[in-house]
Amino acid sequence: MDLNRLKNKVDSILANTNTTKEKLKEVCDVLEREISYYDWVGFYFKNGDKDELKLAQYTGEETAHTIIPFGKGICGQVAVSNQNFVVQDVSNQENYISCGWKVKSEIVIPIFVNKENIGQIDIDSHTANVFTDKDEQLLEYICKKIGTILLYNVL
């Protein structure tokens, strides 16, 4: 994985004149296309005043998980903990919401605006034990950039 090349691609996407929703979709598409083991890439955001996440832009197979209560599944746990969550083997997670039999590992990184967790990027892989520190670094970078554009724009 060439972190600098991917960061530059994301920077270009986020700097273009598209809407925020279009930018988020483009980020999903680029990550899924450029990183072979990213089989599903999506964003979840806090659903208004409710203690739940709502699916936003994504790339990959359709999911039934369009609303996720805080605390439920990996995404719901990140909404509560405000911490990155890397699951190398989803079969070892008790509080995992199955998105399909193909998913073997998942990584979720929170997005902050003004120090408030307002959403996250969620990556599913059909390969177990695949995520590294480079994935975390790249996704943290992306989430920080997205937090900055969301500070000034509404979804």
Side-chain angles (χ1 to χ4, degrees), residues 5-155:
R5 187 178 65 77
L6 289 168
K7 286 178 180 180
N8 288 336
K9 280 190 174 206
V10 168
D11 287 345
S12 293
I13 291 167
L14 298 180
N16 72 31
T17 58
N18 289 344
T19 67
T20 301
K21 289 180 180 181
E22 290 168 333
K23 291 176 186 184
L24 293 175
K25 177 66 167 120
E26 277 188 69
V27 168
C28 292
D29 292 345
V30 163
L31 291 176
E32 191 266 342
R33 184 174 57 245
E34 295 283 332
I35 302 174
S36 64
Y37 52 92
Y38 282 21
D39 297 299
W40 191 92
V41 179
F43 290 98
Y44 284 92
F45 291 100
K46 189 168 191 266
N47 190 13
D49 293 337
K50 299 174 185 172
D51 286 341
E52 65 186 22
L53 298 164
K54 184 175 183 180
L55 179 63
Q57 291 66 39
Y58 71 94
T59 297
E61 294 179 8
E62 289 198 27
T63 178
H65 305 279
T66 58
I67 300 290
I68 299 174
F70 283 11
K72 187 164 171 67
I74 307 308
C75 292
Q77 290 177 77
V78 170
V80 173
S81 73
N82 300 320
Q83 307 266 327
N84 298 352
F85 202 155
V86 181
V87 180
Q88 297 291 6
D89 183 348
V90 296
S91 69
N92 293 331
Q93 269 303 310
E94 286 182 25
N95 190 8
Y96 172 71
I97 301 171
S98 177
C99 294
W101 64 271
K102 294 182 203 171
V103 178
K104 303 290 186 237
S105 57
E106 182 174 8
I107 184 171
V108 179
I109 308 293
I111 300 168
F112 295 96
V113 172
N114 290 330
K115 299 181 181 176
E116 179 187 350
N117 182 346
I118 56 95
Q120 53 203 226
I121 191 168
D122 177 19
I123 314 288
D124 291 344
S125 180
H126 298 164
T127 307
N129 302 305
V130 72
F131 297 116
T132 69
D133 289 342
K134 282 187 172 185
D135 295 289
E136 234 174 318
Q137 290 170 30
L138 174 64
L139 298 172
E140 285 174 350
Y141 177 85
I142 291 168
C143 288
K144 184 177 254 186
K145 291 285 190 168
I146 289 171
T148 301
I149 66 167
L150 291 177
L151 179 63
Y152 302 106
N153 299 295
V154 177
L155 280 174

